[in-house]
Structures are given as structure tokens and as C-alpha cells.
Amino acid sequence: MKAFVLHGQRDLRAELVPTPIPGPGEVLVRVRRAGICGSDIHYFVHGRVGSFVPKRPFILGHEIAGEVAELGPGVDAALGGRRVAVDPSIPCGACAFCREGRYNLCINMRFYGSASADPHVDGGFAEYVLAPAANCHVLPDGIGWAQAAMTEPLSVAVHAVMRSGGVAGKSVLVTGGGAIGQLTALAARAFGASTVVLADIAAFPRDLAVQLGADASLDAADPDAVGQGLGLVPGGFHVVLEASGAPPAVSLAIALARRGGTIVQIGTLPAKVTAPLNTIMARELSYVGSFRFANVFGIALDLMASGRVDVSPLVNAVMPLDEMAAAMDRAIGKDGVIKVQVEP
């Protein structure tokens, strides 16, 4: 099969590799659509994602949807030929975190298109991908390929909203207007937030967020961004969801969270970030992390199938897999795009 294999920093090669053969409990999925995520960009541009450093060439891509093309031994025949979204998480199921139901924290997690475990798990920037049958969620009627491949990033957003302790009836600020930020704003609205505001340094994501239902946007680069935010929601926001991974956004989040409020860190930050811990203490702010997702993949699909969340406007570019290099450049440039997807 054709695949795009990462060999190093800015070294993504088109190759013919053996088509995987499904073993017991596994299926072979013919990839119909795969999204380019921020982590894919980090691996391509920087050759690593935080402490995850590739030890061998591997295939990126974890936002995957396709058709079940072949069944391994023991897999229910009813899954054959079905349209599915693939959950890229493969936890061990045995560690304390898995037993507690927080499998996103699994110490032995294997994740598609990631160097977090060795051997690495090949992802979906290929014609086919191997998957545990249990990770294949059959698509509801009416869900197209573009939506299906957004199930994973929407799951990240849903998990983050849940980590806040609930947003129903509350004011919510989302910092960062990329794919995760936009999806987080949509999820917050779907879960009953009374006010949703999105902050970003660029006009395009701010305007898009308002078009998709946010009550207002905030120019994070404005020297008076804090004043403008407090003008929108006097006293500050009940919940701030930080999706940019930019240190200035952390400062903005703390400044605009109301006393007793909650800040959820979704974006991956640089190694060294300073924060006013005394402010967090004195205002009794809750600062919590949100890593990947757990137990929400089906919820994300249901939100799209019900029409509560429409992700279609976020998929701004769909390119052939053969044009993977150009697709990556488009995703890196962020020129008028939120999500770039490729299709074999």
C-alpha cells in the first residue's frame, strides 16, 4: 500500500509498504479520510512532540475514518464493510489508571501516529490502517467522511469541557481558535454554556467562531484584551478552556477567570512557563489539565449525528493523499484554514 512515512524533521516520504494483516480481534480499515493534527505538524516541523521523540520511521495521522475491508479471526462478521471512525487510543487495560476508567492516562498507552510508545503505532496517512475491532465505531447515518474524521478532535474538546466540572449555565472563554479551540467552543455551547467567547490573535478564527455560534470574540493581541474581556463578562468567566498552548494565553486565562473559577489546560505548552501561583491561590482558581480523552468517543459521534455540533465548516481543505506534502504545508500555514484532511 502507499503510505507517507516520517523519517525525521521535515522528511516525509511517499513509500510502498506492506499492507497490514489483521490478527485476532483486529480489522483492516481502508482509509477514506484522515485529518492533519497539531501533533502531526509538530512531528514534521520539529521532529518530536515534547518528550515523544521517534526512534524509527513511522506513519503519522490519528484522525481516521474509513471502511472495514478485512476481518481478523474472532471479529463479528457484521462489522465487515461498515463505515467507521477509529478511536486511536490503545490502552493496556491493566494498569491502575485503566482500571479506574481514566485510560487516557494509561502508562502503557499506544496511540496512532505517535512516538509515545515503542514500537510506535503507524497512523492513517496511508491507504489502509490496522485497528482493534473494539476501536471501530460504526458511523450513524448522515455522517460523512469529513465529519467522521473529526470524531477524535471533537472527543478531545468534549473531554476538556467535562474536565471543567460542567459548563451548563456558565460563562465560558476559549483561548485559541484552532481546530481544538473551535471544537471546544462548539462543545461548550452544546453542553449548555450561557455565554461562549473565543479569543485568538488572528481575525479569521475569531470571526469563524462567531459565525458558528459564539456570542463574541476577543483579540488576544490587543493590549486591553483583559479589559475587553471583563467588559463582556463583568467579574470574569466561570470557565476558561486554554486550547492554544501559548504562554501569553495562560496569563490571559488567569486574568479573565472569575474568583473561584476553573481553568482547563488543553494546549501543549513549552517546557518552561511562568504563572502567578499566588493569584491562583488567592482567587481560589482551579487549574486542571486535560490530556487526550477517555470514554467520550461515542458521545462525540452522537453530538454530530444529532446536529448538536456541526463540524463541517471547520474542514476547509481536503486534498489527495498523493499531495501529502502540500497538505502539510497548507496545515502549517493556517492561511484561512482550520482543518486540512487528506483522502487516498
Side-chain angles (χ1 to χ4, degrees), residues 105-151:
L105 303 180
C106 172
I107 58 176
N108 302 304
M109 173 69 78
R110 301 172 66 238
F111 201 85
Y112 279 68
S114 172
S116 58
D118 191 26
H120 312 327
V121 182
D122 284 331
F125 294 158
E127 292 180 300
Y128 293 91
V129 69
L130 200 63
N135 287 50
C136 295
H137 293 247
V138 175
L139 300 179
D141 292 339
I143 295 292
W145 294 126
Q147 294 169 292
M150 291 288 279
T151 309

Side-chain angles (χ1 to χ4, degrees), residues 19-78:
T19 303
I21 299 173
E26 295 179 329
V27 299
L28 185 68
V29 176
R30 179 182 180 186
V31 178
R32 289 295 193 179
R33 195 68 66 84
I36 298 177
C37 174
S39 64
D40 299 317
I41 293 173
H42 272 283
Y43 276 121
F44 177 70
V45 174
H46 304 294
R48 62 189 296 165
V49 174
S51 61
F52 302 155
V53 182
K55 296 179 180 178
R56 64 167 179 86
F58 72 114
I59 303 169
L60 295 172
H62 59 263
E63 301 175 4
I64 308 165
E67 297 165 338
V68 177
E70 187 178 340
L71 306 177
V75 177
D76 188 343

